[in-house]
Amino acid sequence: TRTPVNVTVTGAAGQIGYALLFRIASGHLLGADVPVKLRLLEIPQGLKAAEGTAMELVDCAFPLLQGIDISDDPNVAFDGANVALLVGARPRTKGMERGDLLEANGGIFKPQGAAINAHAADDIKVLVVGNPANTNALIAQAAAPDVPRERFTAMTRLDHNRALGQLSKKTGVPVSEIKKVTIWGNHSATQYPDIFHAELAGKNAAEAVNDEKWLAEDFIPTVAKRGAAIIEARGASSAASAASAALNHVNTWVNGTAEGDWTSMAVPSDGSYGVPEGLISSFPVTTSNGSYEIVQGLEINEFSRTRIDASVQELVEEREAVRALGLI
Ligand code: NAI
């Protein structure tokens, strides 16, 4: 029998938490043969709802679920964590400036990073989902100097999956035959979904689509603004798809990308593709044996260059803002 993996989930009582926890417990995070222990972190007002969710988890009698702990103390919730999904964040409310938003999230991600530094397991892997995800990941990373910096990642897998969905809808090629799509930059409206290296049933996607107007005026804005479109349609933000993408992100990180394919993850830049070193920016990555590498050597055309640069510039500004606030 394998020792259970400790999975810490913050914002456990939220929408994404509710869509995420049952699937973690049923083996969709790490695999159908890996037992898990859940460690749920909430703020005091969220504890009661988290306890209700924990009751339901018990009632599912998942064979892989070997325990649930709930706390409002990051030092407890991250104790022994092997995987941390940082979902809880402070949303932007009406009239809130970016500086206020970053400061409020600094108040969450700085102590959580410090708790990870002090208490998590040596093999800790961190995925930040809560927005602004890339910069929240940077804040947590800065507060955890003893953890290898590449263990802090942010989620652009939902954007990646949205791009697969839109390409499939446009071309009729099933998602299973679409490869090498890339999301570059920030998980925000400036992100750049790139299909110039993508393959549709073995053919170059940009050539197969052969419609730059659709690319510029339909595909890219549809993927980048999908979150707002979901809110408009559903009356609530994307939760099941976000949870599904979080499972995909960690599962791919742990279990590897398929031969001949890659995925998109926001990871600390090593300077590749002109992205300033240290920024947590989305790249094409391959994974194996629990680690990842940024795909090297892709040719970046003019169309892509402008869009990557614009999104990276936004990350540079966010980093400057949190630096000015003393958060990193
Ligand atoms: P929600 O508001 O339903 O839930 C958030 C939960 O986090 C609440 O239960 C709240 O009490 C909790 N929380 C707040 N501060 C906390 C703290 N310091 N420690 C622990 N828990 C805390 O929100 P939802 O829909 O679950 O979304 C969560 C986050 O995910 C949001 O920031 C949202 O913008 C982001 N998101 C990111 C996506 C991505 O692709 N990267 C996609 C969709 C959502």
Side-chain angles (χ1 to χ4, degrees), residues 155-306:
M155 188 165 94
T156 51
R157 185 62 172 264
L158 178 55
D159 311 299
H160 181 98
N161 288 345
R162 285 167 171 166
L164 294 177
Q166 291 305 311
L167 265 179
S168 176
K169 188 167 158 235
K170 163 87 173 167
T171 61
V173 174
V175 160
S176 59
E177 291 184 48
I178 306 180
K179 310 225 176 316
K180 299 183 176 175
V181 162
T182 305
I183 304 295
W184 297 93
N186 201 0
H187 169 69
S188 77
T190 67
Q191 66 172 269
Y192 170 50
D194 176 1
I195 68 163
F196 286 99
H197 305 282
E199 291 168 8
L200 291 173
K203 297 198 194 76
N204 179 272
E207 284 165 21
V209 170
N210 191 25
D211 188 348
E212 197 165 299
K213 188 172 153 65
W214 174 78
L215 201 59
E217 293 173 19
D218 191 334
F219 174 74
I220 295 171
T222 297
V223 172
K225 296 179 190 160
R226 188 71 162 177
I230 303 274
I231 293 174
E232 174 64 28
R234 208 173 82 87
S237 60
S238 33
S241 53
S244 197
L247 297 163
N248 291 158
H249 177 114
V250 173
N251 197 297
T252 302
W253 189 355
V254 172
N255 294 322
T257 39
E259 187 64 39
D261 200 1
W262 64 59
T263 189
S264 303
M265 286 169 66
V267 302
S269 176
D270 56 0
S272 294
Y273 300 103
V275 180
E277 211 255 313
L279 281 183
I280 297 187
S281 187
S282 189
F283 287 100
V285 304
T286 54
T287 58
S288 68
N289 298 320
S291 57
Y292 59 79
E293 274 178 52
I294 296 172
V295 175
Q296 294 299 319
L298 299 176
E299 204 177 297
I300 306 297
N301 64 20
E302 210 32 58
F303 184 95
S304 297
R305 190 73 261 169
T306 328

Side-chain angles (χ1 to χ4, degrees), residues 11 13-16 41-43 87-89 108 112 129-131 155 187 242:
Q15 276 208 96
I16 294 176
L41 180 68
E42 259 295 343
I43 51 177
V87 179
I108 296 173
Q112 291 184 1
V129 174
N131 282 318
M155 188 165 94
H187 169 69

Side-chain angles (χ1 to χ4, degrees), residues 130-154:
N131 282 318
N134 302 53
T135 297
N136 287 341
L138 200 64
I139 294 168
Q141 181 196 52
D146 304 328
V147 177
R149 55 214 297 272
E150 73 274 7
R151 307 285 187 77
F152 285 85
T153 67

